[in-house]
Amino acid sequence: MVKVGLTGGIGAGKSEVSRLLVEHGAVLIDADRIAREVVAPGTPGLAAVVDAFGKEVLAEDGSLDRPKLGSIVFADAEKLAVLNSIVHPLVGVRSRELEEAAAEDSVVVHDVPLLAENGLARLYDLVIVVDASPETQLDRLVRLRGMTEADARARMAAQATRDKRLEIADVVIDNDVPLEALERRVRDVWADLVRRARTTLE
């Protein structure tokens, strides 16, 4: 098994890279998806978030109002740290369960948006960083996700710098390129990951 940490700044296109890796055969463990699961209605995680931030972060149906919570924590580093202290341990437990269920020869890709911020590089055999310029990130967030420019800049500012992400990278995938070029690059990276997974069994 090869354990890969996949990260990148918001709007860099990490989700597209993870999708391509899954198409090639990777086992994907998506930290964002798990983070939603651990604060689903009825979970201890949601109860802890409500205790910390109040019932105003709940939608009418009792689920977490993620945009409302996001507007609170991404404008306040201390509140973001509180949220992370609740969610991250729950995500870690579930991620380990999924990893242990994968086959011995798997390429297991952990999609972790805050890998650099939380100093998690040591947990993986190698780290892949999906990189794009800040201008590209901002354009995608505003044009494709419908964020205001101010909200997009706040989300970007709350994350690690581009340089900090690149410092921990074993592999960099440039996503300031057309989709065809991205697909070729991911295909080459996948071939290397498969070779690494095979050598772990020898």
Side-chain angles (χ1 to χ4, degrees), residues 3-10 12-15 17-18 21 27-35 84 87-89 91-92 94-96 98-99 108-130 159-160 165 168:
K3 295 185 288 185
V4 178
L6 175 69
T7 195
I10 186 169
K14 177 173 53 60
S15 296
V17 171
S18 67
L21 288 169
V27 175
L28 180 65
I29 299 178
D30 185 334
D32 264 354
R33 185 178 304 160
I34 297 170
N84 289 343
V87 175
H88 289 170
V91 172
R94 181 62 180 145
S95 296
R96 284 189 292 275
L98 293 170
E99 183 181 284
V108 178
V109 175
H110 290 262
D111 184 332
V112 186
L114 300 179
L115 192 154
E117 291 81 348
N118 294 319
L120 302 176
R122 68 189 184 284
L123 300 180
Y124 308 103
D125 297 316
L126 75 162
V127 172
I128 297 175
V129 172
V130 182
Q159 294 189 327
R165 278 191 298 271
I168 63 166

Side-chain angles (χ1 to χ4, degrees), residues 48-133:
V49 170
V50 173
D51 282 346
F53 296 98
K55 290 187 177 179
E56 62 265 27
V57 299
L58 291 177
E60 288 185 9
D61 64 0
S63 65
L64 185 62
D65 185 336
R66 296 177 68 82
K68 172 71 173 177
L69 181 61
S71 69
I72 294 170
V73 301
F74 287 111
D76 186 320
E78 288 184 8
K79 290 178 179 177
L80 181 59
V82 170
L83 178 64
N84 289 343
S85 73
I86 295 168
V87 175
H88 289 170
L90 299 172
V91 172
V93 169
R94 181 62 180 145
S95 296
R96 284 189 292 275
E97 290 173 354
L98 293 170
E99 183 181 284
E100 288 166 4
E104 286 185 6
D105 62 346
S106 296
V107 175
V108 178
V109 175
H110 290 262
D111 184 332
V112 186
L114 300 179
L115 192 154
E117 291 81 348
N118 294 319
L120 302 176
R122 68 189 184 284
L123 300 180
Y124 308 103
D125 297 316
L126 75 162
V127 172
I128 297 175
V129 172
V130 182
D131 183 54
S133 69

